[in-house]
């Protein structure tokens, strides 16, 4: 297992569309996923997509950590999940604002609108199919990671750049207020 270099915003590979994987259970994919897990653990992130380590294949990994459950109602802990060739189906039109960060955009946070409830599917590296329904942060992290496979980074999804902030400058109480303001603005639109 190896910790890989994470590409940062501006690298051309992050803007490209990734290719479908022919055999999710191949040794090549298993090796990639194992290295991605080491890389995610080292970076202490919630998710990572293959293009972030310079591999244009449709592979994502993510988890919903305990810390996010306190912030999000209607959410459960989700252990590290590997999805090869993921697909997302939107279950309701309802969207929700929430803070996001990205290992390819280090040090920053921004508020992004995402679909609240989705059904997603994909394959494990054993070739088994996973189908799950997700809400809240769980749905958000899946949408964020799958965006990477189409060359989309979260700042490209932000409707209002005024929330874009350096994490170390954010006051937790003030960030709740910013989110509340944007939630209100979102419902008017
Ligand atoms: Ni990201």
């Amino acid at each position: 297992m190896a910790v890989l270099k994470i590409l940062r915003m501006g690298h051309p590979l992050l803007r490209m569309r990734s290719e479908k994987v022919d055999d999710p259970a191949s040794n090549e994919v298993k090796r990639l996923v194992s290295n991605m897990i080491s890389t995610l653990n080292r970076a202490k992130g919630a998710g990572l997509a293959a293009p972030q380590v310079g591999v244009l294949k449709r592979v994502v990994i993510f988890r919903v950590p305990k810390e996010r459950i306190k912030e999000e109602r209607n959410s459960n802990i989700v252990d590290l999940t590997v999805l090869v060739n993921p697909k997302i189906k939107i279950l309701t039109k309802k969207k929700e604002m929430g803070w996001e960060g990205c290992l390819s955009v280090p040090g920053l946070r921004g508020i992004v609108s995402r679909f609240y409830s989705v059904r997603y599917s994909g394959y494990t590296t054993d070739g088994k199919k996973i189908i799950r329904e997700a809400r809240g942060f769980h749905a958000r992290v899946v949408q964020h990671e799958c965006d990477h496979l189409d060359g989309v980074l979260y700042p490209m999804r932000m409707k209002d750049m005024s929330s874009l902030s350096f994490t170390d400058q954010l006051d937790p109480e003030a960030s709740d207020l910013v989110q509340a303001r944007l939630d209100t603005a979102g419902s008017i639109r």
Side-chain angles (χ1 to χ4, degrees):
M1 295 210 286
V3 172
L4 306 171
K5 190 177 163 189
I6 300 174
L7 305 180
R8 287 175 302 144
M9 185 164 65
H11 195 290
L13 287 180
L14 291 174
R15 296 295 299 274
M16 291 174 71
R17 201 180 144 79
S18 293
E19 287 178 349
K20 194 169 175 253
V21 172
D22 290 332
D23 177 9
S26 72
N27 286 335
E28 187 195 351
V29 174
K30 285 194 172 98
R31 197 175 319 118
L32 169 66
V33 165
S34 150
N35 290 339
M36 284 172 66
I37 292 170
S38 304
T39 307
L40 182 69
N41 287 340
R42 173 69 66 89
K44 298 186 171 66
L48 188 68
Q52 292 181 275
V53 293
V55 178
L56 291 177
K57 296 279 179 194
R58 300 188 84 78
V59 177
V60 300
I61 62 173
F62 59 86
R63 64 177 138 231
V64 178
K66 215 185 330 174
E67 305 87 77
R68 296 305 299 230
I69 305 307
K70 288 176 203 149
E71 299 166 29
E72 297 264 346
R73 289 154 291 146
N74 309 319
S75 206
N76 298 310
I77 292 175
V78 178
D79 290 332
L80 187 77
T81 299
V82 176
L83 284 185
V84 180
N85 297 334
K87 283 195 180 133
I88 295 181
K89 187 176 187 295
I90 293 146
L91 293 180
T92 62
K93 282 185 183 161
K94 183 186 165 193
K95 285 188 155 188
E96 191 175 58
M97 299 283 191
W99 286 98
E100 289 188 20
C102 180
L103 295 173
S104 293
V105 193
L108 291 170
R109 289 272 181 281
I111 291 179
V112 187
S113 172
R114 298 283 185 187
F115 289 104
Y116 175 71
S117 167
V118 301
R119 179 183 297 128
Y120 66 85
S121 63
Y123 292 86
T124 66
T125 52
D126 297 326
K128 287 187 192 126
K129 191 166 189 180
I130 292 179
I131 303 175
R132 284 185 195 152
E133 290 190 4
R135 286 170 295 176
F137 181 76
H138 183 189
R140 174 175 299 279
V141 75
V142 174
Q143 290 171 80
H144 175 118
E145 296 314 327
C146 290
D147 260 359
H148 278 295
L149 304 180
D150 295 323
V152 175
L153 299 174
Y154 82 80
M156 295 156 69
R157 294 274 188 205
M158 289 175 68
K159 287 189 190 126
D160 181 344
M161 297 301 283
S162 67
S163 68
L164 193 66
S165 309
F166 287 100
T167 308
D168 63 4
Q169 301 292 299
L170 272 175
D171 169 340
E173 269 179 46
S175 60
D176 285 349
L177 287 174
V178 172
Q179 178 160 357
R181 186 173 59 76
L182 284 174
D183 273 338
T184 313
S187 65
I188 292 166
R189 271 186 213 121

